[in-house]
Amino acid sequence: MQPHRELVLVQGCDASILLDESPAGDVPEKESSANGFTLVGLRTIDIAKSTVEGMCPGKVSCADILAFAARDAAVAAGLPRYEVAAGRRDGMRSNMDDLPGNFPVPGHHVPRLTELFSQRGLSQEDLVLLSGAHSIGGAHCFMFSNRIYNFSQDADVDPTLDPEYAKWLRQMCPPRQPGDDPEQAPKVKFDAQTGERLDVAYYSELLARRGLLTSDNALIEDPQTRAMVENFARNEPLWQQKFSQAMQKVGMLDVLIGEGKGQVRKQCRLVNGQEKEEKQQQPQEEQEEQQPPELEEEEQQQPHQPQLPWFLQRQRPPVLLPWLRPHPRPRRPFRKHPVADLVNGFFRGFH
């Protein structure tokens, strides 16, 4: 859900996060340090796009695929199904320079987060609702190491953390050494209780002072957002309903609709007309034409081949007796393609 839920705050729901580097050399959003190797699932989008493009060429945009994929991922994680509108078109530019100042980061507090969301027409309640997506997934150690090592001059560990939780985090994430590769750092779940399910346990963890990121913990430090956290923690049906509505709202941010606005990309990684040629041209080795040596007249004469009897000239297929004939192979049960449910979701959205 990350590409759909968070990155629409940059340019809107136009799938710009999927674009590779442009021929002009613009470094795309996906290469920003704000995303880096934490952005996953793009290969799944490529497979889905290729599958749908084979069925309905030029009809389903990458932006729509992201919206449906986010919905299906949420449903697979336990959220009730909700409707998603279709008809978006894809953006034609992506530049990582657009991210600074427009993108929430783990160290932000409520005032800054609220400001970023309000710039996109989202409320503070939307902020708290969408933060609930941290009920699944996790974060690498470097994203919160400042809370468990050298926090301040007075405390090595953030005092707002539950002491036992902080002790466990330090065991999971040893102090970073010079030369350590952040990509190889361990990953810790946001929600230690039900980390594979999208539910309100995330809010209960916050109230127990077990919020992983600074931006998570900030929600219980602010009086207004804390009241929302407490409300959602004890009312899961309410949160599910409002979370679905917030996701629908995110999916409609600055969408491109109608001819002349954006395009429907053939490949989600490339703007139309910039498709990479995958076929490699291999040089053909020049071969010298060699003339066969002239044969003498005696060698040119072929020896006489005696004609076989008629009953040996016909090649009949072998006849198998009934008890030797192979039985027909049983039909194997149909196995769904990994993105079959995702593709079905696209078409459900058009009906």
Side-chain angles (χ1 to χ4, degrees), residues 4 19 26 84 106 123 151 222 228 255 265:
H4 179 70
L19 286 173
D26 294 333
V84 175
S123 66
F151 178 73
D222 183 276
M228 300 178 194
V255 295
R265 296 183 208 142

Side-chain angles (χ1 to χ4, degrees), residues 76-79 132 135-136 191 194-201 236 240:
L79 198 74
S135 180
I136 57 177
D191 177 3
T194 58
E196 304 298 330
R197 182 172 176 79
L198 197 59
D199 55 22
V200 297
E236 184 163 2
Q240 290 178 337

Side-chain angles (χ1 to χ4, degrees), residues 19-58:
L19 286 173
D20 286 341
E21 182 176 344
S22 69
D26 294 333
V27 182
E29 297 171 21
K30 68 169 72 173
E31 300 298 332
S32 170
S33 58
N35 298 314
F37 56 87
T38 63
L39 190 63
V40 297
L42 302 188
R43 176 59 181 163
T44 302
I45 301 299
D46 289 338
I47 296 174
K49 175 61 175 176
S50 177
T51 304
V52 177
E53 197 68 17
M55 298 177 180
C56 306

